[in-house]
Amino acid sequence: MAGTIFFSDDKSWAGSSSEFNLALDALITLVLDSRSKMQLVEISEENIRMLDIEGLPERGRAEVLRYLADGRHWEAAKEMIIGGEEWVDAREKPMKELSALAVSELKASEE
């Protein structure tokens, strides 16, 4: 089963359930906005395989986009991976694709 992160109507990222959970868990550790953090925790606990970034409160949405765009989610996620370097290597490409989509979304929102 896969998980999807929606940025906007025309941009989304789909990863395996483990990639989605890893990204979500990393965001939970990073996000400071309490309402947004609660939503992320609920998605994780309820095993909901979808995160709509536009559905987060404004402050949390900005945080999530920033953390995804600058790669902090990946840095946090690497610390959570206990399976060894091959597990890190296997998830690097999808996490970088997630970052690229966030960068694209940030640029589009600035225009």
Side-chain angles (χ1 to χ4, degrees), residues 85-105:
E85 199 62 35
E86 66 277 0
W87 285 86
V88 172
D89 293 345
R91 280 153 181 81
E92 185 169 19
K93 182 180 178 189
M95 292 300 160
K96 287 188 175 188
E97 290 169 351
L98 180 54
S99 288
L101 281 169
V103 168
S104 171
E105 185 67 18

Side-chain angles (χ1 to χ4, degrees), residues 8 17 19 87:
S8 60
S17 59
E19 292 162 352
W87 285 86

